[in-house]
Amino acid sequence: MHVVVCVKAVPSTTEVRMDTVTHTIVRDGRQAVINPFDTAALELALRIKDAAGEKGAPAEPVSVSVLSMGIPDTERLLRDALSRGADAAVLLSDRAFAGADTLATSYALACGLAQMPPADLVLCGKMAVDGDTAQIGPEIAGALGVPCVTDVRELAEVGAGRVRVWRGCEGGTELAEAPLPAVLTVAKEAADLRMPSIAGVRFGERARVRVLDAPAAGADPARCGLAGSPTQVVRSFVPQRTSVAVRVEGTVAEQAAQVADLIEGMTL
Amino acid sequence: MVNVHPMDEGYAGFCRDESRTQGSAASISFPVSEDEVRALMRQMSAAGTPVTVQGTRTGLAAGAVPAGGHVMNLAHMDRVLGMRVAPGPDGAAVFCVRLQPGVVLANLRKYLADKSMPTAGWDAESLQTWGELCEGTEQIFPTDPTEASATLGGIVACNASGARSYRYGPARPHIRALRVVLASGETLALERGARVARGRGAERTLALETEQGRRMDLALPSYEMPRTKNASGYYIEDGMDAVDLFVGSDGTLGVVTEIEVELVSAPAVVWAVSCFFTAESQALDFVVAARPELGCALAFEYFDGAALGILRHQKAAGAGFASLPDVDPAAAACVFVELGCADESEALAALERVAALIARVGGSEDATWVARTDVDRERLRFFRHAVPESVNMLIDERRRTDPAITKLGSDMAVPDDRLHDVMALYRETLAEAGLESATWGHIGNNHLHVNVLPRNAADHARGKELFCCWARAVTDMGGAVSAEHGVGKIKRDFLAVMYGEGHLREMARLKCQLDPQGLLGRGNLFSAELLDEERAACAAAAGEKGCALDAAAAGSPAGASPHAAGEVA
Amino acid sequence: MSGLVVDAARCVGCRRCEKACATAGIVVEGRLARVTEGCVLCGACVEACPVGALHIEKGAAADAADLAAWQGVWVFCEQDAGAVLPVVFELVAKARELAAARGCAVTAVLGTGADDVALGAGGPADAACARLLAGGADAVLLCRDERLAQRDAEPYAAWLAELARERKPEIILCGATPFGRELAPGVAVRLQTGLTADCTVLEIDPATGLLQQTRPAFGGNLMATIACPAHRPQMATVRPGVFAGLVGAGGAGDADGLAAPVVEDLLARVSEVALDPRATSHVRVLERRLLAEGASIAEAPVLVVAGRGIGSKKNLALVRRLAELLGGEVGCTRPLVEMGWLAYRHQVGQTGVSVAPKLLVALGVSGAIQHLAGIGGAQTVIAVNEDPEAPIMAAATYAVQADCVAFAQELTTRLEG
C-alpha cells in the first residue's frame, strides 16, 4: 500500500509579525517549516506504516511518500519528513509552478502523483496556516476523481480496499468510510508528528529527493503556476487596525457594572 | 521620598520565595531608582533596620526571604538603560547592555530575540549600538536558569546557572560592571578589570573606593574554592576582580542597582538530542566519553529512570503532558545534549559523533529524539520542564495527606573525574535509607539535583540527614554544596560543612567591612548569631585600632529576630 | 510576458523587497531590484515596495464573448435537518446587491432528499423554497434526489458542476461551513475555475464588472483582493455571520406569515432539476459521536475565552461559571492548551477553531495575531486585560483595562445577583 502525504512549506507562524513602521509582514529570513496541519497528516501516514510493520499484522507493507510543490529549498523540509520515517520524496520545483492558486497547485500535485507509484491514500493537512483556504485536498480529490474525507481527527482502520476515519461534524465526530483510493484532509489535533532519531536524520540526509520540473511532471504549462491560476491577486493591503474599541473606565466594580448592563442589552 | 509600606496582609507573598520558606518583615518598599535605594538605605541604616533585597522571588534557597526588618523589592527597577560595544575577554568587541536589577530575564531575551528593545531615552551611542546589534548575528545573554521570570538582579545575587552553563559558565563571567549601594548609602561603581585583589592566600586584600571618596582595604577570606561549578559563598581567588566578589554574594554585601551584562553571539545552528539508555551506567559513560570529544556541546542534561517513570505516569494520568512524545518503558536514563554549531554540516558531523558515542557505551542510536526545528526544540524544552513539574505534582498529591511533606532537592557538584563516584554514593545511600527519589540536572558539570520524594515525615527527616552526609562526601571529593541555587538561608549548614567554621567567620568578617551593622541579607550564607559575634569582634578590634566605628553598630540590629527565617516550612 | 516585473525607472534600490521576501526571490544589485529563480509570485514585495516599482503581470486574454454567456448569481443553499442555514440568507442578501450591480438575477440552488417527493406540495422543500424566495432569491433550482439527502460533497459537487455547465451562472456563492468548504473546491475543480475562500468583502468592480473578493491572509495581517477575470463562474465562500448585517428583520426568508396565494406565486419560481444518474456517493457515515459536554465552540452564541492572563489553572472555574451565566461556552488561547489546562477543542485561533459568536468575552487574552485570526467572526468582543496596549484591546468592541480575574469575579457576582 502506498500513502502519499502532500506537504507545504509555510513561514513558521511565530515569525509572522508586522513591521510597525512599514506595515508589512516581516519575514526576517527565518526558515520555512512544514505546515503544522501537514505534519499531523504525515504522522497519521507513519502510523499506518507502523501498524503494518507490527508482528502479526496481516496487512501488506506500507510505504509513505511525501510530495510538495515549492522552491528548491523545500527539499530541506522533505528531507526532514524522510528523517521521521517517510520512505520517498518528490519535489515539484519549476519557475512554471510559481504564482499558483489552489487550482493550479492541485493540478501540479495531481501531476506529481501521476509520476509516483499509484497512491492508495493521499493525505493533506486540513488547511495551510498561511493561505488558510482548505481547498487543496478536495481539489486534488476532484482532479483525481476519487472521494475525499475532510477534517479527519482519528484514523480507525485502513485496509481491504477501504479507509475508516473519525472526522469532525456538527457537534462531534462521525465515523466515515471511503473506498480506496481516497484523499483525506487531516486536522492538526489528529496527531503530533514524531521526532526523528539520529538514524532517521542520517537516512533523511542521504536519501534521494526526486525533483521534477514541469515537463518531467508531465504538466501542461498553461495549467501551471500563474498562467494556470484562474484567480489573481488584484491588490493586497494591510487592514487599518485603528482601535475602535470603546474603553470601559472606572474601578473594577464599576467596569463590571457597565459590562453587565451592556450584556443585558444584547439579544443573545 | 519612597513609600515604605507596613508589611500587611496584602504583601504576604513577599515573605516567601520558591523554596516555600516563610519569613517575616515589618515593612516593604519598591524603589525605582538608585537615588531611592540610597535614601532607603540611609534611612534603614540610621534606624538599624535589617534589609532583605529581593526581585521576583524565584530563588530556591530563601535568599530573598526576609528575616525581620525591611524588604527592599527591586522588581520595579526594570528599565534597560543603554548599550555599548566594548572589548571582550579575547579582545573581540562584545555588545554590552546596561540594565536595572529588576529586568526580568524572559523580557531581556524577548527584547533581543524580537529586536524589540525599549530604547526610549537612550543616548546616541546606545541607539547606534542597538542598530548595529540588529544588523548583526543574533545576540543572547547566555545564562539560562530554568525559571526565566527571574530578575537579572537575582541572577547576579546567586550567580545563577542553567543548562548552557556547561558551555558558557555561570552568570559571573558575563557580568561586566555593577553599581552597588552599600549599607551606608554610599555607592560603588565597579567595572571588570579596574580593581583586582592583591596578595595570595591569607594575605589577599581588595582595595575599593566609594564614589563619595572613602577608601576601603578589604581583607579577603583565605579559603580555596572547589574547582567545580560553584555558588557556595563568596567568590575568592588570587587576583580576583572586584566585580566577582559581588556576583554571588547573596545580597549580603550591598544592593546592586545597575548591571552591565555582556552578550554572546548565538550559535547559528542549535540542535538537540535526547539519548535514551537502558541503564544509568551507560548514560554516565556516555557523558564522560562525550565531554572531551564533543566540543560543540552547549549542555548535557540528565533524567534518571525514576524521573522518566514519574513523567510517564503523570502523562498517562492526563496531567497535561499530552503533547509530549511517549517515553519507551525500557528507557532507564536519558541524556539531553544540545549542540551549537556554525552550520548544518558541522551539526550533522556532531550528530554522527553522538551516534558513535552512544554505540560505544552500548546504547542505540534509534533510541534518540533529534530536535532540529523550532517545534521539536520547544517539545524537548517542554519535556525538560515537565520532569520537575510532574515530580512537583506528585509531591502535591502527597502533601494532601501529609502537609509537612516537601520535596528535598540537592544542588551539589563534583569535579569531572568523580561523576561515577558521586552517583554511586547517591544510589547506595538512597537505597540504604529506603528513600524514593528522582534525579535530574546538569550532568555535564557533574551537577545533579537529587530529589528525595518523602512519603511521610520519617522519610523527610531521613532525607535531610542524607543531604548532610552528601555535603561532607561531596566536599571530600573537592565539590561544591551549592552549585547554582546559592546558599541563601536554607543551605547554610552545608556551607559550614564545605568550608568549616573558620572560613565562615572570614566571610562574615568580610561582610562586616562593607556592612558594619550587619543589615543586608541577614541570615544568608551564615547565621545572624555568627555574624553578630564577628561584628562584635571587628568592633572591638577597630576600637583598639582607634577606628571610628559607631558604637551602636555593635549592638543587635533592630527588629531582627534570629529565628524569623531559615526553617523550611 | 508574465510574472514579477520591476519598473527600473521607479526602483530606488531600498531593499525593502529583499527583506519582505521569504524565498530569496528578489535581490537588489546596483540599486536595482532583480527577480531571481526563487520568486514564487507571492506578492509580498509588491506590497512592501514604497515606490510602486513592482507588480505582477499576467498575460491572459479572455474570450469576452464566452465570458458574457455566463450570467446570474447563484447561492448554494445548505440545510441542516431540513432547515436552510442562516448563512444562506446572508448570502442571498449579498447576492441581491451583486445582482443589482450586474443587472442579473439571484438563483438559490437547493438539494434535498427524495423523501420530499413523497411528502409532495407543502413539504419541507417547498417551505424552504418559499423562505428563500421571500428572502430575496428571484428563482430556485431544486433537486429532489435521495443521493442529496445527506451532506455528501461528492454527489453535490457533481450535481452543482453539471448544473453550472448547463446554465452558466456568473457567480456562485457558498457558505464557508465545514460542508461548504469541502463542496466548493470540488465544484471549482470540476469546472476548472477559481475559488476564493472565506471572503469578508464581495463587490462588483464598476470598471470591469468583475467580482472583487477580499479575504484575509497571514492570520488577518494582510488583506488580499482577488479576482477571477478569465474563468467562470467566479466562486467564493463566506463564513457565517460576515454578512449577517444585511439580513433585515423578517428578511431571513420569513415566509410563515405569507398568505397561501403569495406562497403559491413564489413557488412558481421554483424549477425542479434532475441529478445525473452517474453521480454516486462513495463516502458512508457509519456512526456518530456527539460531544456530551459542551457543544462545539464554533457555533456557540457566547464564548468566554481565557488567555494566559488568568494566571492560574484554578481560575478556570471562574471562567466556566461566567460562561455558564452567559449561556455560552469556554474557549482559550493556545498556551493554555499547551500547558494542558484545557483540551484542544477549546482552542480559538488560526490553529484551533475559528469562532463567530454574538458575544465574546476575552479574559487575559493578549491577542496574538494567530488568535485574532480566529475571532474575526465575533460580533461583539469585550476584552479584559491589564495591559491597555495588548493587541486584543485594539481589536475589541469594548476594552476593559482591569485585572481580568478580579473583573470576572465582579461580573459573575453581578450576573448571579
Side-chain angles (χ1 to χ4, degrees):
Chain A
M1 180 159 133
H2 186 210
V3 182
V4 179
V5 184
C6 299
V7 301
K8 180 183 187 187
V10 296
S12 103
T13 48
T14 53
E15 304 304 328
V16 181
R17 59 172 205 275
M18 301 306 293
D19 183 320
T20 48
V21 179
T22 61
H23 294 289
T24 53
I25 284 178
V26 179
R27 306 189 209 176
D28 40 14
R30 283 289 184 96
Q31 289 180 324
V33 298
I34 301 178
N35 175 33
F37 290 84
D38 302 347
T39 61
L42 176 56
E43 178 62 27
L44 283 195
L46 295 175
R47 287 183 189 173
I48 296 172
K49 180 179 155 180
D50 286 350
E54 271 168 24
K55 278 192 193 119
E60 49 180 326
V62 171
S63 70
V64 173
S65 300
V66 280
L67 170 66
S68 187
M69 182 186 88
I71 58 171
D73 184 55
T74 308
E75 184 177 323
R76 190 174 53 80
L77 301 183
L78 294 180
R79 292 197 181 280
D80 182 60
L82 291 165
S83 77
R84 295 171 200 258
D87 302 289
V90 174
L91 173 62
L92 302 164
S93 193
D94 193 318
R95 290 281 297 142
F97 294 131
D101 70 0
T102 61
L103 188 74
T105 303
S106 59
Y107 170 71
L109 290 172
C111 290
L113 285 165
Q115 301 303 316
M116 302 165 79
D120 300 283
L121 256 185
V122 177
L123 302 187
C124 306
K126 180 173 116 179
M127 62 186 215
V129 290
D130 57 347
D132 198 5
T133 66
Q135 284 168 201
I136 292 295
E139 291 195 341
I140 291 175
L144 299 176
V146 302
C148 179
V149 182
T150 57
D151 197 14
V152 170
R153 309 283 175 87
E154 190 186 330
L155 202 76
E157 205 183 315
V158 192
R162 59 175 165 72
V163 60
R164 284 183 174 178
V165 294
W166 288 96
R167 70 159 170 200
C169 68
E170 246 108 319
T173 53
E174 59 188 21
L175 182 64
E177 181 187 281
L180 300 180
V183 175
L184 308 179
T185 79
V186 179
K188 187 165 164 279
E189 74 267 34
D192 284 312
L193 180 55
R194 67 196 57 191
M195 299 187 57
S197 67
I198 296 178
V201 169
R202 189 183 301 124
F203 172 77
E205 293 306 314
R206 292 182 186 168
R208 189 171 83 94
V209 171
R210 271 178 78 196
V211 182
L212 303 179
D213 58 12
D220 173 0
R223 294 180 66 188
C224 291
L226 197 61
S229 296
T231 61
Q232 61 183 51
V233 177
V234 180
R235 69 184 186 114
S236 60
F237 57 98
V238 174
Q240 287 303 318
R241 279 242 176 81
T242 46
S243 173
V244 293
V246 177
R247 301 216 165 248
V248 180
E249 312 279 359
T251 64
V252 171
E254 288 162 6
Q255 288 169 321
Q258 292 175 60
V259 169
D261 289 347
L262 270 173
I263 292 172
E264 214 160 277
M266 291 181 194
T267 45
L268 296 173
Chain B
M1 199 59 232
V2 199
N3 279 327
V4 174
H5 311 279
M7 188 55 106
D8 57 27
E9 256 176 45
Y11 296 109
F14 293 91
C15 289
R16 285 190 296 271
D17 71 0
E18 277 299 302
S19 70
R20 304 188 183 189
T21 307
Q22 180 67 47
S24 67
S27 61
I28 186 166
S29 63
F30 298 89
V32 296
S33 68
E34 183 179 286
D35 284 344
E36 292 190 356
V37 171
R38 293 184 64 190
L40 280 164
M41 240 16 266
R42 280 195 294 262
Q43 187 185 336
M44 296 301 157
S45 278
T49 307
V51 173
T52 301
V53 180
Q54 59 177 214
T56 42
R57 308 185 315 287
T58 58
L60 296 168
V65 174
H70 180 73
V71 171
M72 191 189 291
N73 187 299
L74 302 185
H76 295 185
M77 288 181 73
D78 59 353
R79 284 186 305 130
V80 183
L81 302 168
M83 282 193 71
R84 64 171 173 150
V85 176
D90 53 359
V94 295
F95 287 105
C96 300
V97 183
R98 220 150 39 81
L99 30 81
Q100 291 188 311
V103 170
V104 168
L105 175 63
N107 290 342
L108 176 62
R109 284 186 188 161
K110 199 163 138 262
Y111 300 152
L112 291 169
D114 298 352
K115 303 207 174 12
S116 62
M117 189 66 77
T119 55
W122 280 20
D123 61 19
E125 184 195 1
S126 295
L127 289 171
Q128 190 193 334
T129 309
W130 174 245
E132 285 166 23
L133 182 146
C134 291
E135 291 299 309
T137 54
E138 190 186 349
Q139 298 289 310
I140 52 171
F141 177 67
T143 306
D144 61 336
T146 308
E147 191 47 71
S149 61
T151 61
L152 267 292
I155 286 169
V156 167
C158 76
N159 185 31
S161 298
R164 287 187 176 180
S165 293
Y166 175 77
R167 160 66 74 82
Y168 296 109
R172 179 173 284 114
H174 308 288
I175 306 303
R176 173 133 197 145
L178 294 174
R179 287 188 59 78
V180 179
V181 173
L182 297 178
S184 60
E186 293 165 289
T187 52
L188 288 172
L190 304 171
E191 182 168 357
R192 189 168 292 283
R195 300 236 171 219
V196 295
R198 274 175 305 202
R200 303 195 159 272
E203 304 300 314
R204 282 184 288 232
T205 59
L206 179 63
L208 296 178
E209 187 174 343
T210 65
E211 288 183 307
Q212 290 69 31
R214 187 164 67 91
R215 271 188 64 94
M216 286 174 285
D217 263 305
L218 304 180
L220 298 178
S222 62
Y223 53 80
E224 295 296 320
M225 292 186 296
R227 301 286 148 196
T228 64
K229 191 171 174 184
N230 180 21
S232 328
Y234 298 133
Y235 180 94
I236 299 295
E237 203 170 28
D238 292 349
M240 65 175 286
D241 198 292
V243 169
D244 292 335
L245 174 63
F246 286 86
V247 176
S249 61
D250 257 351
T252 58
L253 300 181
V255 184
V256 171
T257 51
E258 199 175 302
I259 303 162
E260 185 171 52
V261 298
E262 287 182 8
L263 304 180
V264 302
S265 291
V269 175
V270 177
W271 288 3
V273 202
S274 287
C275 312
F276 294 91
F277 297 97
T278 50
E280 184 165 73
S281 60
Q282 291 177 339
L284 302 184
D285 292 344
F286 171 78
V287 171
V288 169
R291 277 192 293 226
E293 289 186 35
L294 213 55
C296 61
L298 301 177
F300 287 97
E301 297 280 292
Y302 183 65
F303 307 94
D304 78 346
L308 296 176
I310 291 167
L311 179 62
R312 204 181 292 124
H313 167 79
Q314 299 285 16
K315 185 185 171 188
F321 302 122
S323 66
L324 287 179
D326 282 319
V327 177
D328 187 333
C334 172
V335 178
F336 165 92
V337 190
E338 199 173 34
L339 308 166
C341 300
D343 54 43
E344 294 214 342
S345 65
E346 201 179 277
L348 272 175
L351 206 55
E352 287 298 346
R353 276 201 296 286
V354 171
L357 287 160
I358 291 171
R360 202 190 301 167
V361 302
S364 162
E365 63 173 30
D366 291 326
T368 52
W369 297 341
V370 184
R372 301 188 294 168
T373 64
D374 284 345
V375 171
D376 289 344
R377 271 189 287 269
E378 175 56 27
R379 238 182 321 170
L380 287 193
R381 192 198 62 78
F382 183 44
F383 180 85
R384 289 195 285 139
H385 287 216
V387 169
E389 180 69 12
S390 64
V391 169
N392 286 339
M393 288 162 66
L394 180 83
I395 293 291
D396 285 344
E397 279 166 33
R398 290 187 183 168
R399 280 169 71 94
R400 257 174 244 144
T401 49
D402 187 347
I405 289 176
T406 55
K407 183 182 82 178
L408 295 166
S410 81
D411 181 34
M412 305 182 192
V414 295
D416 275 1
D417 56 355
R418 305 307 292 270
L419 175 60
H420 280 86
D421 297 340
V422 82
M423 248 357 229
L425 167 77
Y426 293 149
R427 291 304 172 209
E428 279 163 25
T429 52
L430 281 166
E432 270 169 28
L435 290 171
E436 206 181 306
S437 72
T439 299
W440 61 81
H442 319 298
I443 198 168
N445 292 118
N446 317 295
H447 169 208
L448 293 164
H449 302 300
V450 184
N451 297 277
V452 169
L453 313 174
R455 286 154 298 200
N456 48 47
D459 274 5
H460 196 265
R462 267 204 301 280
K464 288 185 101 169
E465 277 168 39
L466 204 51
F467 276 34
C468 285
C469 137
W470 290 346
R472 283 187 292 274
V474 161
T475 303
D476 289 344
M477 290 182 194
V481 295
S482 175
E484 67 174 349
H485 296 159
V487 172
K489 297 180 181 63
I490 64 179
K491 292 181 183 176
R492 287 192 311 232
D493 294 349
F494 301 162
L495 190 67
V497 169
M498 180 170 152
Y499 280 132
E501 195 185 314
H503 289 316
L504 274 196
R505 290 188 181 276
E506 288 178 353
M507 287 190 215
R509 281 200 290 278
L510 171 58
K511 173 183 168 63
C512 291
Q513 297 171 70
L514 287 159
D515 175 17
Q517 287 178 271
L519 299 179
L520 283 164
R522 276 179 77 81
N524 286 354
L525 300 181
F526 24 76
S527 69
E529 291 90 335
L530 186 144
L531 173 64
D532 289 340
E533 282 169 34
E534 287 308 313
R535 280 193 327 113
C538 283
E544 277 165 28
K545 280 191 214 160
C547 284
L549 200 113
D550 188 355
S556 196
S561 148
H563 303 294
E567 296 304 318
V568 175
Chain C
M1 160 119 193
S2 75
L4 180 60
V5 182
V6 181
D7 183 342
R10 286 187 174 180
C11 178
V12 292
C14 70
R15 295 184 182 265
R16 287 214 186 144
C17 49
E18 259 185 29
K19 285 186 183 156
C21 183
T23 63
I26 190 160
V27 291
V28 174
E29 292 163 343
R31 300 200 70 74
L32 180 64
R34 182 176 67 80
V35 183
T36 73
E37 289 292 297
C39 174
V40 295
L41 300 171
C42 70
C45 58
V46 177
E47 167 63 23
C49 181
V51 293
L54 300 170
H55 69 283
I56 291 174
E57 240 175 50
K58 193 177 170 191
D63 181 339
D66 184 46
L67 292 185
W70 298 74
Q71 282 179 2
V73 183
W74 284 12
V75 175
F76 171 70
C77 305
E78 181 180 348
Q79 299 182 82
D80 181 26
V84 175
L85 297 184
V87 64
V88 173
F89 294 99
E90 296 162 22
L91 291 181
V92 167
K94 178 45 98 173
R96 274 254 60 87
E97 288 182 12
L98 301 175
R102 291 298 288 152
C104 64
V106 174
T107 304
V109 185
L110 180 68
T112 183
D115 275 358
D116 240 54
V117 179
L119 291 171
D126 278 357
C129 290
R131 291 188 67 206
L132 288 164
L133 291 161
D138 296 305
V140 177
L141 290 173
L142 173 67
C143 179
R144 301 179 204 253
D145 192 297
E146 197 44 36
R147 289 166 292 175
L148 303 183
Q150 300 297 325
R151 275 178 283 184
D152 181 344
E154 227 179 337
Y156 264 99
W159 170 54
L160 280 178
E162 189 50 44
L163 205 58
R165 257 185 228 113
E166 196 182 299
R167 297 177 181 242
K168 298 192 187 309
E170 188 179 21
I171 293 169
I172 301 181
L173 305 181
C174 182
T177 60
F179 178 61
R181 295 183 78 161
E182 186 171 341
L183 169 66
V187 176
V189 72
R190 282 170 171 84
L191 296 172
Q192 288 290 299
T193 191
L195 168 64
T196 307
D198 299 334
C199 299
T200 53
V201 179
L202 291 174
E203 54 201 3
I204 301 294
D205 178 356
T208 59
L210 289 174
L211 180 64
Q212 305 268 22
Q213 308 156 87
T214 300
R215 74 180 299 268
F218 282 106
N221 272 295
L222 201 62
M223 301 298 291
T225 302
I226 290 164
C228 178
H231 294 72
R232 292 293 179 273
Q234 305 166 82
M235 291 185 65
T237 66
V238 178
R239 287 200 185 176
V242 170
F243 295 137
L246 300 180
V247 182
D254 187 358
D256 295 345
L258 297 177
V262 181
V263 172
E264 210 164 296
D265 270 1
L266 285 176
L267 291 180
R269 290 190 261 148
V270 176
S271 316
E272 299 233 6
V273 291
L275 175 59
D276 189 315
R278 287 166 300 178
T280 46
S281 169
H282 292 95
V283 180
R284 284 196 306 145
V285 173
L286 307 172
E287 193 186 331
R288 217 160 250 196
R289 270 189 214 153
L290 297 183
L291 291 174
E293 161 244 348
S296 154
I297 61 169
E299 278 94 39
V302 177
L303 266 182
V304 181
V305 178
R308 222 188 315 217
I310 66 161
S312 149
K313 187 174 177 176
K314 67 176 194 298
N315 289 330
L316 280 176
L318 181 61
V319 176
R320 286 202 185 92
R321 177 67 186 139
L322 184 56
E324 194 187 332
L325 288 167
L326 294 172
E329 301 292 330
V330 171
C332 69
T333 59
R334 184 167 158 177
L336 268 58
V337 173
E338 283 172 353
M339 289 187 287
W341 292 7
L342 280 167
Y344 173 81
R345 64 185 178 83
H346 293 280
Q347 184 183 324
V348 177
Q350 193 178 33
T351 53
V353 180
S354 291
V355 298
K358 284 184 176 156
L359 170 65
L360 188 153
V361 182
L363 298 174
V365 173
S366 67
I369 58 165
Q370 292 83 2
H371 180 76
L372 295 183
I375 64 168
Q379 281 175 28
T380 301
V381 175
I382 299 175
V384 189
N385 201 304
E386 272 190 311
D387 178 7
E389 302 301 318
I392 188 88
M393 300 292 258
T397 331
Y398 297 97
V400 183
Q401 187 192 344
D403 174 83
C404 66
V405 174
F407 175 87
Q409 262 152 0
E410 281 287 339
L411 184 58
T412 307
T413 313
R414 280 190 176 271
L415 294 172
E416 277 170 344

